[in-house]
Structure formats: structure tokens, C-alpha cells
Amino acid sequence: QVQLVESGGGSVQAGGSVRLSCAASGSTQIDYCMGWFRQTADKEREGIAVVDNEREPRYADAVRGRFTISKDNDKNILYLQMDSLKAEDTAMYYCAATLTYYEGRVPLSQHEYNYWGQGTQVTVSS
């Protein structure tokens, strides 16, 4: 079992930055995929940045070059640095994890993740 708790959301103006954190606990297996997903009322939850301890991070096209995912294995914390924010980045952001290893690239689909945090809202005003 893995418990995930997000923090760091809030309101920011377009062009600004926000850093999200996700504290993971409950599992002794630290080498698992983790990622950030976001959802709005009119869209399905989408993967935006995912990482594990072995492979290159993956980013959704919409955030590549603006967002950076990182993982502190000593503290079991996942981060998402969000720069150059746009109004369309407004969403509920979720941290997720899976203990399953998927061949190939780190999975970006929400369906491959089975542990979820409660979400943190990020609102970007233009």
C-alpha cells in the first residue's frame, strides 16, 4: 500500500511558477513509477509528467519545457516545478504511483496507476 499526500497548490498569475509536492509513505519499495496528473470538469484526467528511478521522465506535450518532475528518494517526495504557467494549466492536480513495472517508457496513462492522492487545486489567472 502507498499513501500519497499532495501540497503546494494555489492561485498564481499567468507567467508565474508553482511547485507541487507529493509525500509518499506506506511502502518499503521505493523503486516505483510516480507521476502527476491533472483534471478539469470537462476533461478526462491526463498524465502530464511521470518518472521512476531508472528511465527518463516523460512529459505531456502541453507541459514539456515548462514543467519539471523530480523525485527525492531519501525523503520519498515527488515534486512538480511548474513555470511559465498559462490559464489552461488551471486544474486539479493529482499525484499517483504504481508498484507495477511496465516495459518501455514510464507510463503516462492514468489507467496504469493505482495509488492516488487527494489532489491539489492550481488556478492560473490571465
Side-chain angles (χ1 to χ4, degrees), residues 69-107:
I69 189 171
S70 60
K71 195 173 174 205
D72 185 331
N73 288 325
D74 290 336
K75 297 180 180 178
N76 279 345
I77 298 177
L78 183 73
Y79 299 101
L80 184 68
Q81 179 66 41
M82 307 163 64
D83 298 319
S84 302
L85 282 162
K86 305 175 182 179
E88 51 263 43
D89 294 318
T90 295
M92 184 70 79
Y93 283 74
Y94 296 91
C95 173
T98 176
L99 301 181
T100 300
Y101 184 86
Y102 292 93
E103 293 292 334
R105 296 188 294 175
V106 182

Side-chain angles (χ1 to χ4, degrees), residues 6-26:
E6 303 98 333
S7 61
S11 297
V12 63
Q13 288 192 330
S17 297
V18 168
R19 189 175 81 158
L20 303 182
S21 299
C22 173
S25 62

Side-chain angles (χ1 to χ4, degrees), residues 1-3 5 8 14 26-27 31 34 45 47 50 54 60 62 64 66 73 84 87 89-90 108-110 112 120-121:
Q1 290 292 327
V2 178
Q3 290 80 46
V5 179
S27 174
D31 187 17
M34 295 186 74
R45 190 172 299 184
V50 292
E54 299 178 356
R64 188 177 296 111
R66 299 188 298 121
N73 288 325
S84 302
D89 294 318
T90 295
L108 204 54
S109 168
Q110 61 163 324
E112 268 65 61
T120 185
Q121 178 69 33

Side-chain angles (χ1 to χ4, degrees), residues 22-83:
C22 173
S25 62
S27 174
T28 58
Q29 183 177 341
I30 63 172
D31 187 17
Y32 43 76
C33 294
M34 295 186 74
W36 290 98
F37 297 74
R38 67 185 182 188
Q39 187 171 22
T40 58
D42 59 345
K43 290 183 180 179
E44 186 176 312
R45 190 172 299 184
E46 62 171 345
I48 57 171
V50 292
V51 70
D52 69 7
N53 290 339
E54 299 178 356
R55 295 167 286 185
E56 289 293 314
R58 284 185 71 188
Y59 296 93
D61 291 343
V63 307
R64 188 177 296 111
R66 299 188 298 121
F67 292 8
T68 303
I69 189 171
S70 60
K71 195 173 174 205
D72 185 331
N73 288 325
D74 290 336
K75 297 180 180 178
N76 279 345
I77 298 177
L78 183 73
Y79 299 101
L80 184 68
Q81 179 66 41
M82 307 163 64
D83 298 319

